Amino acid sequence: MSQTFQGVIPPVVTPLTESGDFDIASFERSLNHMIDAGVHALFILGSSGEVVFSTDERRREIIEATMSIVAGRVPVLVGCIDTQTNRVIEHARVAAELGADAIVATAPFYALGGMAEIEQHFRLIRAAVDLPLFAYDIPVCVHVKLPVDMLIRLGRDGVIDGVKDSSGDDVSFRFLVQDNEAAGRPLTLLTGHEVVVDGAYMSGADGCVPGLGNIDPAAYVRQWNAYQAGDWETVRTEQDRLAKLMRIATVTSGVTGYGAGVGSFKTALALMGIFTSNRMPEPVVALSGDNVTAIEKILRENDIL
């Protein structure tokens, strides 16, 4: 089942109205923008999708809207991300009830344990919910790096179907691809990079999960198609342009972290007319003034506007 989840799988950004409600009309425009560009699946309620800012009610609202809008056109992966195992299982059961095609979970966080507890965490999730399960490796948020040997073991045992690697550790990812190959490819391996997707493809990645894919999904699809055709010059050329476009996340001043990264995506989508607002979840402040102007300049330079 994991082989379904290959290619370009953007982590969907969640639009909000100025009052902070979920903006379904903007969400529909965004999903159709990506599906029409040819993406191969969608990942909702990931880091870019405000999962940790969302109440249980908001998470359900986003999943229901996604399944209705997508209507089976592409597979949908749902982030089931929370502090500890039982909370993750609750989210996973809701995702399964609402029709998710796969679920994505990080290691536990807050009550930090060792690797034995982390491995058991994934085993308990899989035992509780019969859906393809992707391990989300994002140490910047959960304060632990998922080790290659554990991921391969969980893959061999049929516990996880794949890995979404947002660790930024390209050496570890290369080793993971090699060990996965040696194990008979039990895992689908997806890079969370935006700027060095070409390097992940050279390593043998099965796809990418780029937040920038909300802005220019067609470019990532062209890059994937070139990768499949062995056209490495086009893979590199597309990546060079996408790297320039990704400067929207670094051109801002006076803001860091989530406000700069996802904030730049929301601002770009608002400038493109896909989002009505670049409103951020509390307590994050939306970009404004010179920061919006700087993002608009990069979008124009890269033919997005």
Side-chain angles (χ1 to χ4, degrees):
M1 295 179 71
S2 63
Q3 296 308 306
T4 303
F5 308 102
Q6 294 184 322
V8 180
I9 307 174
V12 179
V13 176
T14 300
L16 303 177
T17 65
E18 284 297 335
S19 62
D21 294 324
F22 174 45
D23 184 349
I24 295 179
S26 293
F27 193 62
E28 182 169 8
R29 286 192 294 271
S30 180
L31 295 186
N32 286 330
H33 171 61
M34 290 182 277
I35 293 172
D36 290 346
V39 302
H40 304 91
L42 295 168
F43 171 35
I44 63 168
L45 290 174
S47 302
S48 298
E50 303 181 4
V51 63
V52 296
F53 294 95
S54 298
T55 63
D56 291 0
E57 181 181 2
R58 174 62 55 81
R59 294 186 193 210
R60 175 179 280 271
E61 188 178 15
I62 292 168
I63 300 170
E64 287 178 337
T66 302
M67 303 314 296
S68 175
I69 295 164
V70 171
R73 288 179 289 170
V74 295
V76 175
L77 296 83
V78 176
C80 300
I81 297 166
D82 216 313
T83 52
Q84 301 301 139
T85 305
N86 287 340
R87 287 288 297 153
V88 173
I89 289 173
E90 287 180 355
H91 296 309
R93 285 174 171 156
V94 171
E97 169 200 334
L98 297 179
D101 296 291
I103 54 176
V104 184
T106 68
F109 49 97
Y110 191 81
L112 300 179
M115 287 303 158
E117 288 85 355
I118 292 170
E119 182 168 339
Q120 180 67 354
H121 169 74
F122 286 109
R123 292 183 183 277
L124 289 170
I125 296 168
R126 187 49 180 265
V129 181
D130 187 21
L131 278 177
L133 170 62
F134 279 71
Y136 188 175
D137 192 9
I138 185 165
V140 68
C141 292
V142 303
H143 312 295
V144 66
K145 174 80 179 70
L146 299 178
V148 169
D149 61 337
M150 182 186 76
L151 293 171
I152 296 297
R153 182 166 58 252
L154 290 172
R156 278 176 162 164
D157 290 351
V159 175
I160 63 172
D161 295 82
V163 178
K164 191 236 175 184
D165 189 304
S166 294
S167 68
D169 187 340
D170 293 332
V171 174
S172 176
F173 187 77
R174 186 89 178 213
F175 289 156
L176 177 59
V177 172
Q178 289 181 331
D179 289 358
N180 188 51
E181 187 72 31
R185 297 178 62 86
L187 298 172
T188 292
L189 303 180
L190 307 171
T191 178
H193 273 306
E194 282 97 359
V195 176
V196 289
V197 177
D198 53 348
Y201 285 167
M202 290 188 73
S203 295
D206 296 302
C208 65
V209 188
L212 193 64
N214 288 263
I215 312 304
D216 193 354
Y220 282 105
V221 172
R222 290 193 301 269
Q223 185 187 45
W224 169 260
N225 291 339
Y227 168 38
Q228 296 304 290
D231 179 2
W232 290 104
E233 179 61 25
T234 298
V235 170
R236 182 189 64 80
T237 300
E238 292 289 355
Q239 187 64 79
D240 283 346
R241 180 183 161 279
L242 287 164
K244 292 176 183 176
L245 182 58
M246 189 60 186
R247 300 292 180 122
I248 62 173
T250 63
V251 73
T252 54
S253 61
V255 62
T256 59
Y258 200 82
V262 176
S264 72
F265 296 158
K266 286 198 172 190
T267 299
L269 289 163
L271 288 166
M272 294 164 67
I274 294 174
F275 279 15
T276 301
S277 168
N278 70 343
R279 170 71 186 262
M280 297 294 287
E282 297 291 1
V284 185
V285 177
L287 296 174
S288 61
D290 289 345
N291 284 331
V292 175
T293 302
I295 290 171
E296 182 177 4
K297 181 174 183 290
I298 292 174
L299 295 178
R300 292 193 183 281
E301 289 172 348
N302 289 278
D303 301 320
I304 296 299
L305 295 179

